[in-house]
Amino acid sequence: MNLQRAARSLARSVVQAIPTVIGVILLGFFLLQAVPGDAADVIAAESGSATEAGMAAMRSQFGLDRPMWQQLTAYLGNLAHLNLGVSPRYNLPVSELIFSRLGNTVLLMFSALGCALAVGIALGAIMASFVGRWPDRLLSLAALLLYSTPGFWLGLMAIILLSVQLGWLPPGGVSTIGSPATGLAHALDVARHLVLPTLALAGFYVAIFARLTRAAMLEVSRQDFVRTAHAKGLAPTAVALRHVLRNALIPVTTVAGLNFGALLGGAVVVETVFSWPGLGRLAYESVMARDYVVLLGILVLSSLLVIVANILVDLLQTLLDPRIRAG
């Protein structure tokens, strides 16, 4: 029966996501159309020898000279056939460009989100256990500093300290250039390159999840069922983990889902700082090249990732709280 409820909830979420995706596509298309310039202008400036006839031929080849409504109709028709178009800048299918970078971005995002949740929840639980005492005050100050520190500055400082000064970690890239490593050795090499961007991207969210976990645990600890658990003689650790922390995770997972889009946006800066070849860096390069077809494709895919993440959060909450399943 629970599987049937979960399936109905999943189907309802997918149906509700369809208007959101359509709205993102339309809004993104019209906003990008309002931006002056196109890929032909950038390519002409880079070549230095482009002619008006050559630029007109380029715009005609990629449909940049058509009226806006024709471009929109053509783009929606391509989307209906799961085709994101062709990049004028790279002269390659947009889907090929995106999927060549998608794995790196997904790896970075889930690494940063997992790190932020694990560290933030652990720190929040410690703060709630020692509320009002020096561990709580010290960790609250550390969380405030992380919350106030921009991700790019944290990344640059991490490069200077851990890479330049100590030489422990590589300063950028996804793997060692020219390395013949395969299998486990390659995975360890990628993991070493992943540490610094993960720390830079996760720092802000560690502070958010720590403060939220602390507040949620303090609120839950005042509930009647927690006092009942103590009255039954359960160990304080068992009460804190099985009753207080479990219920406190519900708002934490909600905020994690809501911040998934912001995490994806923050990846643009972090990937640029660490030369991480992901969607964020591709989006930055597309903006600079006026390659709006690629940028719109990234926007559509990013919106789908955020929707999927929120659906997974809804399913996770049904596991954490039986009352949600009953509803």
Side-chain angles (χ1 to χ4, degrees):
M1 196 66 179
N2 289 336
L3 290 177
Q4 293 179 355
R5 290 196 185 98
R8 287 198 297 268
S9 176
L10 179 61
R12 182 170 60 250
S13 298
V14 171
V15 172
Q16 292 174 349
I18 293 176
T20 302
V21 175
I22 295 175
V24 167
I25 294 171
L26 294 177
L27 181 61
F29 179 85
F30 288 119
L31 286 177
L32 291 177
Q33 286 290 324
V35 178
D38 56 21
D41 294 328
V42 176
I43 295 174
E46 290 178 350
S47 65
S49 59
T51 63
E52 289 292 338
M55 293 178 62
M58 187 183 303
R59 289 192 174 97
S60 176
Q61 177 184 354
F62 293 103
L64 301 176
D65 58 344
R66 300 178 185 175
M68 184 184 299
W69 67 271
Q70 289 186 4
Q71 293 187 43
L72 177 60
T73 303
Y75 188 78
L76 294 177
N78 288 334
L79 280 182
H81 293 86
L82 302 180
N83 179 13
L84 296 176
V86 178
S87 165
R89 182 69 176 82
Y90 299 97
N91 199 23
L92 290 172
V94 174
S95 57
E96 181 179 334
L97 287 170
I98 289 178
F99 286 109
S100 67
R101 308 280 191 102
L102 178 62
N104 293 331
T105 293
V106 171
L107 176 62
L108 175 59
M109 289 187 61
F110 278 97
S111 175
L113 185 59
C115 177
L117 283 171
V119 177
I121 291 172
L123 294 180
I126 295 173
M127 292 160 64
S129 300
F130 294 92
V131 61
R133 287 179 278 177
W134 70 265
D136 177 33
R137 295 176 181 176
L138 182 62
L139 292 177
S140 296
L141 178 60
L144 179 61
L145 291 176
L146 281 177
Y147 183 83
S148 306
T149 304
F152 72 89
W153 187 88
L154 187 63
L156 292 174
M157 294 303 102
I159 291 175
I160 293 174
L161 176 62
L162 299 178
S163 180
V164 177
Q165 298 293 334
L166 300 177
W168 291 351
L169 296 168
V174 70
S175 61
T176 303
I177 299 176
S179 173
T182 58
L184 180 60
H186 176 68
L188 292 176
D189 184 41
V190 173
R192 290 182 68 247
H193 286 78
L194 184 63
V195 172
L196 288 183
T198 295
L199 293 177
L201 188 58
F204 175 79
Y205 299 97
V206 167
I208 291 180
F209 296 146
R211 297 293 300 177
L212 184 59
T213 301
R214 177 186 183 275
M217 288 188 67
L218 291 178
E219 181 179 356
V220 172
S221 64
R222 303 187 187 99
Q223 301 297 319
D224 292 337
F225 69 88
V226 176
R227 287 194 289 267
T228 302
H230 283 295
K232 288 182 178 180
L234 293 179
T237 304
V239 174
L241 294 178
R242 294 170 53 188
H243 296 277
V244 178
L245 182 58
R246 179 176 178 176
N247 286 275
L249 287 179
I250 296 175
V252 174
T253 54
T254 301
V255 172
L258 293 175
N259 279 277
F260 194 82
L263 191 70
L264 185 59
V268 176
V269 177
V270 172
E271 288 181 1
T272 302
V273 170
F274 290 97
S275 300
W276 186 266
L279 287 183
R281 192 176 177 194
L282 179 62
Y284 172 76
E285 293 170 354
S286 300
V287 170
M288 300 304 294
R290 303 293 193 274
D291 197 343
Y292 300 135
V293 180
V294 175
L295 197 59
L296 189 56
I298 294 174
L299 180 63
V300 172
L301 184 62
S302 300
S303 65
L304 292 176
L305 288 176
V306 173
I307 289 171
V308 170
N310 281 275
I311 291 175
L312 293 177
V313 167
D314 290 341
L315 295 178
L316 177 61
Q317 288 186 345
T318 62
L319 298 176
L320 292 173
D321 192 348
R323 294 171 297 179
I324 298 177
R325 289 198 299 267

